[in-house]
Amino acid sequence: MNRSHVLPAVVSLTAAAALLLTGCGGGSKGSDNDKGAGADDGGTKKTAAPSKPEASNAPAIDRPDVSLPGDVKFVFTTPRLKDPVRTAALGDAENFIRAVEHGIVKQNKNDPAYKFYSEFQSPAQEYARDQITQHADAG
């Protein structure tokens, strides 16, 4: 299997995930209601200390299999993030990369794994399908 196209894809997707995570804190400019807690209030308001997250009653998400053969390995240098939402987003970005490789290994351009980790008809989904198709066509 020719892996020369996978490395640039992995680097690109990892960079895109990092940029996505750095942009998560932005907001829209507009009314005075957009101010953060304690902003320009003369320090009179105090914010509560963050509490421990409570156990969710939400059902567990049934994620697709993205397991790979033993000779296919990815090494991610994942930062230790305190925000569980960002940690989950980074984990899903890593799983998207695994899902693309899973589809390539399975030679299945309709593999459900990459579809789970990308939006319907998004550029990411099209990219994944194209990568899998190219590798499948090349044998």
Side-chain angles (χ1 to χ4, degrees), residues 18-96:
L19 288 173
L20 175 68
L21 289 175
T22 59
C24 287
S28 62
K29 294 182 180 179
S31 69
D32 289 338
N33 293 336
D34 290 342
K35 291 182 182 177
D40 294 331
D41 63 359
T44 58
K45 292 184 181 178
K46 301 281 183 184
T47 58
S51 62
K52 292 182 181 179
E54 295 180 17
S56 174
N57 292 335
I61 297 173
D62 187 23
R63 296 179 182 275
D65 175 36
V66 291
S67 62
L68 298 168
D71 64 333
V72 179
K73 297 195 186 312
F74 287 106
V75 178
F76 296 103
T77 53
T78 306
R80 303 258 185 233
L81 301 173
K82 293 181 181 179
D83 183 0
V85 173
R86 288 185 180 194
T87 301
L90 190 57
D92 282 348
E94 291 172 357
N95 282 336
F96 174 75

Side-chain angles (χ1 to χ4, degrees), residues 12 17 27 29-30 48 57 60 62 81 96 102 105-106 122 129-130:
S12 298
K29 294 182 180 179
N57 292 335
D62 187 23
L81 301 173
F96 174 75
H102 184 265
V105 168
K106 297 292 183 183
S122 68
R129 185 175 38 255
D130 289 346

Side-chain angles (χ1 to χ4, degrees), residues 88-127:
L90 190 57
D92 282 348
E94 291 172 357
N95 282 336
F96 174 75
I97 295 168
R98 286 184 190 99
V100 173
E101 188 66 19
H102 184 265
I104 291 170
V105 168
K106 297 292 183 183
Q107 301 280 299
N108 181 3
K109 68 179 181 179
N110 294 314
D111 189 65
Y114 80 86
K115 292 178 180 181
F116 179 85
Y117 289 105
S118 59
E119 289 186 34
F120 180 67
Q121 294 183 341
S122 68
Q125 194 172 84
E126 291 175 20
Y127 169 81

